[in-house]
Amino acid sequence: MSREQTEQRICAAICQSNGLKAKDIARQLNLDRSTVNRVLYASPLLKDLCYQDDSYRWHGIIRQSVPHDGLYELSGYYAKASDFLRLTEDEWMDELMKGCQRIGRNLNDTRGLLHSFRDCREQMINLFADLRDMLGNSCMEWEIAFEFRLKRGRYVRIYADVLVITENKVFSLEFKMKDKIDFEEVSQAAKYVPYLEIVCLFLFQC
């Protein structure tokens, strides 16, 4: 069993409970307790997504109820689509910049990061205009998370450009300011999948 599969099984167990001790997770999944503890304490992703209470029980930070409590702590900006669309560009940028600083996002603008943020916002406005034409106002209740942080290693963080969260699905959108497809960048985005699958466990099974 791969490390990612073990992480997913442990996450699923935590999400489906109101708090589990490591020994209970180990018993439920037929794993060594040492393996469970190693994943819980050593996996940067799980340390970001889980917490232990005073009774040594593990819980997910992200909860299933809408709005998803916990997503704010991992996102540069998080809100319902309707709230996002009410903001002016400057208001949204101000909230995004503050949020990025809160989650530890590097805001070095030497490669046009801030321009890419504004371009990303414009694309999302256009997308939701099209969605509203197709689906009506129901999509205004969907949630958007910009610059969603995922910890792949102790010092390695990746930031998904945008997560769009519907009633039962999550779409991860990556924007590149290019006029042609770079297949290396497509492969890079695909590498996010195992981590986002774990996030989805918290969003829809907690």
Side-chain angles (χ1 to χ4, degrees), residues 2-18:
S2 69
R3 184 190 68 182
E4 288 82 6
Q5 289 173 322
T6 302
E7 287 181 342
Q8 286 189 359
R9 292 185 67 201
I10 291 173
C11 277
I14 293 172
C15 288
Q16 293 165 2
S17 74
N18 290 320

Side-chain angles (χ1 to χ4, degrees), residues 77-90:
Y77 175 86
Y78 164 68
K80 286 187 177 181
S82 56
D83 295 326
F84 160 68
L85 293 170
R86 288 191 194 102
L87 296 179
T88 66
E89 181 176 289
D90 288 342

Side-chain angles (χ1 to χ4, degrees), residues 65-172:
S65 58
V66 178
H68 287 95
D69 293 339
L71 267 187
Y72 171 81
E73 284 77 8
L74 302 170
S75 306
Y77 175 86
Y78 164 68
K80 286 187 177 181
S82 56
D83 295 326
F84 160 68
L85 293 170
R86 288 191 194 102
L87 296 179
T88 66
E89 181 176 289
D90 288 342
E91 289 172 336
W92 175 79
M93 276 294 290
D94 183 59
E95 289 198 26
L96 177 65
M97 297 290 282
K98 290 176 181 175
C100 285
Q101 291 173 336
R102 172 174 43 78
I103 65 173
R105 175 70 162 106
N106 188 330
L107 292 174
N108 188 325
D109 193 35
T110 56
R111 299 177 64 183
L113 179 66
L114 302 188
H115 177 73
S116 72
F117 285 168
R118 295 181 188 275
D119 185 66
C120 182
R121 171 186 175 273
E122 182 179 350
Q123 297 304 317
M124 294 306 298
I125 288 173
N126 294 337
L127 172 62
F128 271 90
D130 291 340
L131 288 170
R132 200 169 190 175
D133 287 341
M134 293 186 293
L135 304 174
N137 288 330
S138 61
C139 63
M140 294 296 100
E141 294 299 304
W142 293 1
E143 300 155 275
I144 306 178
F146 288 86
E147 295 300 306
F148 182 75
R149 184 185 72 200
L150 294 164
K151 281 195 175 182
R152 292 181 59 182
R154 185 175 180 183
Y155 300 109
V156 180
R157 298 174 180 176
I158 55 178
Y159 295 88
D161 287 349
V162 182
L163 298 186
V164 175
I165 304 162
T166 73
E167 298 87 353
N168 55 12
K169 291 182 175 64
V170 177
F171 297 91
S172 177

